[in-house]
């Protein structure tokens, strides 16, 4: 068999006119602006995929498709139709959970996904946790209101507001907190985004060293660079998160700052992308002379599913002579995974985690707690479900 295939790619074309179909309550100009498909930009399927992702992230659409026409306009550009299907405006939900170390919990919430037609969202939630915890007779709680308005200054800039009251218990402290936060977040490019947040927090620390009240104002600046091919189950690319947060405590007359970095990288080693190597490095620094000068909830701890598996949540860090966990001025954690996809729905993972929190501002990376284990990933249409088993 002798086959000749001739491919005619056609002319190189820029994006042209954009139309929006399927909107009901959402304003079409918001959809067009958020898609970011500007005229004069060379057509690329990668650009249309990113536009679909940005529109889905608004949370108001069941489906989003960016469809190029099968012909060029007379000016040589390619027209594009953005086809959307809106989700139901209101949603209510509830959930329960149980942990053999922290007891039982429950949560209920209500949300409006599109208040005024501009994808403005409001979410109200209430939850309790720590029922049947033998260490405390009173459970933890959380009440929160979160508001978001997209396209506040331009199509890519969002405004957020959050008010929250909660009690949180860990091995190191019990904190009763009321806080409010306003912020702006912006999508700069397809891979770069950032945020600026101003928070005021009133906290009473109990069951910690020392027991104090704190009134803290924090200005947080964050930058994210994300080149992953899939945010929930990546096979290539990397994600870099950098954060700086200067703060002032009015009650303790204390100025300090927190710096954090979190870098993840993914690499498939075969053409079918069944074998994926994944690595993650996290670190942080708290600029304070004496760790007791800041609230226990602001100090560094490691341990648990997000840092060193095989140890309890926030159970690793500096302790006093009595063995009480007091937290550190810095932390460092590193993780490596080998992922293998058995089928379209099932995957296996082997991993090693290491990390610690330290009294000094410079982490001593030679003194690490290590956890090893294996995991199963069940790949669902909405992302992977994870079951990890680890030992220290």
């Amino acid at each position: 068999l002798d086959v000749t295939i001739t491919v005619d790619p056609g002319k190189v074309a820029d994006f042209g006119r954009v139309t929006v179909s399927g909107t009901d309550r959402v304003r079409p100009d918001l959809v067009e602006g958020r898609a970011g498909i500007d005229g004069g930009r060379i057509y690329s399927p990668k650009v249309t995929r990113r536009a679909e992702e940005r529109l889905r992230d608004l949370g108001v659409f069941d489906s989003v498709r960016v469809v190029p026409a099968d012909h060029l306009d007379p000016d040589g550009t390619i027209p594009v139709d953005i086809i959307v299907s809106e989700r139901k405006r209101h949603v209510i939900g509830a959930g329960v959970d149980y942990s053999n170390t922290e007891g039982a919990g429950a949560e209920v919430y209500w949300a409006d996904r599109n208040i005024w037609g501009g994808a403005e969202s409001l979410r109200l939630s209430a939850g309790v946790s720590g029922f049947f915890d033998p260490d405390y007779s009173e459970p933890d709680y959380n009440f929160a209101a979160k508001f978001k308005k997209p396209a506040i200054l331009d199509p890519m800039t969002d405004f957020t507001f959050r008010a929250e009251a909660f009690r949180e218990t860990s091995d190191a402290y019990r904190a009763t907190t009321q806080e409010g936060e306003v912020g702006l977040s912006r999508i700069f490019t397809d891979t770069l985004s950032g945020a600026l947040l101003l928070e005021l927090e009133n906290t009473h620390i109990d069951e910690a060293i020392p027991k104090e009240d704190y009134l803290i104002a924090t200005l947080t600046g964050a930058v994210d660079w994300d080149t992953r091919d899939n945010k929930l189950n990546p096979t290539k690319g990397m994600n870099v998160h950098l954060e700086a947060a200067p703060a002032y405590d009015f009650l303790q007359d204390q100025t300090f700052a927190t710096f954090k970095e979190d870098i993840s990288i993914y690499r498939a080693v075969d053409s079918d992308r069944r074998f994926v190597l994944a690595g993650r490095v996290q670190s942080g620094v708290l600029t304070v002379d004496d760790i007791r000068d800041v609230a226990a909830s602001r100090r560094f701890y490691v341990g648990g599913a997000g840092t060193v598996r095989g140890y309890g949540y926030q159970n690793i860090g500096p302790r006093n002579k009595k063995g009480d966990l007091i937290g550190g001025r810095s932390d460092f954690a590193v993780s490596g995974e080998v992922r293998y996809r058995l089928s379209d729905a099932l995957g296996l993972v082997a991993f090693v985690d290491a990390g610690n929190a330290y009294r000094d501002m410079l982490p001593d990376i030679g003194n690490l707690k290590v956890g090893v284990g294996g995991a199963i990933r069940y790949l669902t249409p909405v992302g992977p479900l994870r079951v990890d088993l680890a030992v220290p």
Side-chain angles (χ1 to χ4, degrees):
L1 192 65
D2 187 3
V3 178
T4 300
I5 299 176
T6 302
V7 179
D8 179 11
K11 297 179 180 179
V12 175
D14 292 341
F15 285 104
R17 58 186 175 88
V18 177
T19 57
V20 178
S21 306
T23 55
D24 179 18
R25 183 178 174 83
V26 179
R27 299 195 314 269
D29 62 305
L30 171 69
V31 177
E32 183 177 347
R34 192 66 164 212
I37 301 177
D38 303 321
R41 189 176 187 181
I42 295 177
Y43 170 80
S44 166
K46 183 178 180 180
V47 174
T48 61
R49 285 196 299 269
R50 292 289 189 180
E52 291 174 344
E53 290 175 5
R54 285 195 295 271
L55 290 172
R56 289 193 192 100
D57 288 344
L58 288 173
V60 294
F61 299 121
D62 266 331
S63 65
V64 178
R65 289 189 300 139
V66 179
V67 182
D70 57 3
H71 62 276
L72 300 182
D73 276 347
D75 61 357
T77 62
I78 185 168
V80 174
D81 188 17
I82 303 175
I83 305 172
V84 299
S85 174
E86 294 186 16
R87 305 171 77 181
K88 292 183 178 180
R89 178 180 168 189
H90 297 108
V91 59
I92 58 174
V96 295
D97 63 86
Y98 176 76
S99 164
N100 68 316
T101 59
E102 299 172 8
E107 180 192 28
V108 294
Y109 65 89
W110 172 91
D112 187 330
R113 293 171 169 149
N114 187 22
I115 301 175
W116 302 302
E120 304 90 352
S121 63
L122 174 65
R123 188 181 193 273
L124 307 177
S125 63
V128 291
S129 59
F131 282 115
F132 313 121
D133 187 338
D135 294 330
Y136 295 96
S137 59
E138 297 179 352
D140 288 344
Y141 61 84
N142 183 286
F143 301 97
K146 299 179 181 180
F147 172 78
K148 181 177 181 180
K149 179 173 177 53
I152 187 69
L153 299 176
D154 57 55
M156 299 299 179
T157 303
D158 300 343
F159 169 80
T160 59
F161 169 78
R162 176 178 61 87
E164 196 165 358
F166 60 90
R167 181 163 59 207
E168 178 187 22
T169 303
S170 72
D171 288 342
Y173 60 85
R174 167 167 270 206
T176 302
T177 302
Q178 305 84 39
E179 59 187 24
E181 179 186 83
V182 294
L184 295 174
S185 60
R186 193 177 198 285
I187 301 171
F188 295 104
T189 69
D190 289 342
T191 58
L192 185 65
S193 61
L196 188 65
L197 309 169
L198 178 62
E199 177 192 78
L200 184 63
E201 169 190 334
N202 179 44
T203 297
H204 172 71
I205 299 293
D206 195 10
E207 303 292 340
I209 303 173
K211 302 177 182 180
E212 289 283 0
D213 291 314
Y214 305 87
L215 181 61
I216 306 171
T218 306
L219 181 65
T220 302
V223 175
D224 286 276
W225 182 49
D226 191 351
T227 64
R228 294 172 294 178
D229 58 341
N230 185 315
K231 292 183 180 181
L232 296 178
N233 190 30
T235 61
K236 67 176 181 179
M238 65 188 305
N239 183 45
V240 178
H241 176 82
L242 304 176
E243 185 177 305
Y248 177 71
D249 187 337
F250 294 93
L251 298 183
Q252 305 297 324
D253 191 23
Q254 180 70 39
T255 301
F256 60 95
T258 304
F259 300 92
K260 298 179 181 179
E261 63 86 15
D262 190 344
I263 301 173
S264 301
I265 188 167
Y266 308 87
R267 177 77 177 187
V269 296
D270 64 318
S271 58
D272 293 332
R273 298 185 180 180
R274 287 186 174 273
F275 277 101
V276 177
L277 303 180
R280 184 181 185 186
V281 178
Q282 306 170 73
S283 65
V285 173
L286 180 62
T287 60
V288 64
D289 293 330
D290 188 341
I291 195 63
R292 299 172 190 270
D293 291 338
V294 298
S297 56
R298 293 295 186 105
R299 305 169 194 171
F300 286 110
Y301 315 86
V302 300
T307 50
V308 183
R309 287 163 284 189
Y311 289 83
Y313 175 65
Q314 292 191 347
N315 189 250
I316 303 174
R319 297 176 182 267
N320 61 15
K321 294 180 180 179
K322 296 180 180 180
D324 298 321
L325 194 61
I326 60 174
R329 292 193 292 168
S330 63
D331 73 341
F332 177 82
V334 61
S335 178
E337 292 188 349
V338 179
R339 304 178 179 180
Y340 177 64
R341 179 166 52 86
L342 289 172
S343 65
D344 290 340
L346 194 64
L348 299 177
V349 179
F351 59 83
V352 178
D353 300 336
N356 209 336
Y358 307 94
R359 297 178 185 274
D360 299 327
M361 281 194 291
L362 292 178
D364 178 12
I365 60 176
N367 181 21
L368 300 176
K369 303 291 187 181
V370 179
V372 297
I376 296 176
R377 300 288 189 270
Y378 181 67
L379 308 177
T380 76
V382 295
L385 297 178
R386 179 176 112 181
V387 178
D388 293 350
L389 178 63
V391 295

